Amino acid sequence: GESVGLHLPTLSVQEGDNSIINCAYSNSASDYFIWYKQESGKGPQFIIDIRSNMDKRQGQRVTVLLNKTVKHLSLQIAATQPGDSAVYFCAEVISGSARQLTFGSGTQLTVLP
Amino acid sequence: SQTIHQWPATLVQPVGSPLSLECTVEGTSNPNLYWYRQAAGRGLQLLFYSVGIGQISSEVPQNLSASRPQDRQFILSSKKLLLSDSGFYLCAWWSDEVYTFGSGTRLTVV
């Protein structure tokens, strides 16, 4: 069935380096994508979103890129900090009135000192 | 302001006991409401969603049920819990192009 998946389950980066987390999706009916950060024992925290009519969106230290041709989404974190250590999920919002989210399995980002 | 309340934060229940988790939202009207479950080390799985009072759609067959007695209230229930029901349960809402999650309930069935 339709799904969202992540290429790498874990990612370790040095503090101060840039991080790139990738995500593949398969549902062409998705019109909205969201990246979430989840710390242990907490609910997902919104990071940044992007609509299907865009290919890039920037926030504070984060950039999301959307390539609809290959159905690929990425999250770039600039100057990664220890507080960025968490599990990152991409999610796609299915078009329609129900607006369900379909999540990938997550990538554990570990920032090394 | 828009807020979402979910309780309790943690819950330990014996196998075969009933369950009732409640979620309420404030600051919006007629939101879409959702229940998700997250198993340890896994992504979030949609269990139920509701687009209005009394309207419930189930995504995954299981021994859980959901109800929406009021516009801003969404309840997740079970008559008899199974060990496999353990997990992190999250309520969420969709309104005005914003998706917001509650703080979650960690359920351990023993």
Side-chain angles (χ1 to χ4, degrees):
Chain A
E2 303 287 4
S3 65
V4 176
L6 296 179
H7 293 308
L8 296 174
T10 61
L11 177 65
S12 296
V13 298
Q14 292 293 137
E15 181 178 354
D17 287 352
N18 297 334
S19 304
I20 300 176
I21 302 172
N22 296 303
C23 178
Y25 67 95
S26 58
N27 192 333
S28 300
S30 300
D31 60 1
Y32 182 49
F33 301 87
I34 309 173
W35 279 101
Y36 288 97
K37 172 186 179 183
Q38 187 175 25
E39 296 174 322
S40 180
K42 297 182 180 180
Q45 177 187 1
F46 173 91
I47 301 174
I48 192 168
D49 59 4
I50 188 168
R51 303 206 175 269
S52 59
N53 61 354
M54 304 169 67
D55 53 20
K56 180 179 180 179
R57 190 168 187 211
Q58 289 183 295
Q60 186 177 12
R61 284 201 306 118
V62 294
T63 301
V64 56
L65 299 178
L66 174 63
N67 186 329
K68 294 180 288 294
T69 301
V70 296
K71 296 182 182 175
H72 182 267
L73 196 67
S74 69
L75 176 70
Q76 301 177 6
I77 304 174
T80 313
Q81 302 170 0
D84 294 328
S85 293
V87 177
Y88 289 80
F89 294 96
C90 67
E92 56 179 329
V93 181
I94 309 300
S95 60
S97 62
R99 307 300 276 170
Q100 305 102 308
L101 274 179
T102 300
F103 283 83
S105 57
T107 293
Q108 172 69 57
L109 175 65
T110 301
V111 181
L112 305 172
Chain B
S1 62
Q2 298 174 333
T3 57
I4 182 169
H5 301 281
Q6 187 180 341
W7 68 92
T10 59
L11 190 60
V12 180
Q13 292 283 100
V15 169
S17 64
L19 173 74
S20 181
L21 301 180
E22 188 165 345
C23 173
T24 60
V25 299
E26 296 178 3
T28 188
S29 60
N30 197 32
N32 284 5
L33 297 174
Y34 309 85
W35 277 110
Y36 288 87
R37 177 171 62 196
Q38 185 176 30
R42 303 291 296 277
L44 284 80
Q45 178 187 40
L46 178 63
L47 301 177
F48 300 95
Y49 68 90
S50 171
V51 299
I53 297 174
Q55 300 179 61
I56 307 295
S57 296
S58 174
E59 291 292 299
V60 181
Q62 61 221 319
N63 70 320
L64 299 171
S65 63
S67 62
R68 186 170 179 176
Q70 301 179 42
D71 180 46
R72 302 173 190 178
Q73 184 184 31
F74 204 24
I75 299 171
L76 182 69
S77 304
S78 175
K79 293 182 179 178
K80 291 185 178 181
L81 284 169
L82 306 173
L83 288 175
S84 58
D85 292 325
S86 293
F88 191 46
Y89 289 82
L90 287 149
C91 178
W93 71 340
W94 171 268
S95 181
D96 298 329
E97 298 297 300
V98 176
Y99 225 108
T100 305
F101 284 88
S103 54
T105 296
R106 184 161 303 282
L107 171 67
T108 303
V109 182
V110 296

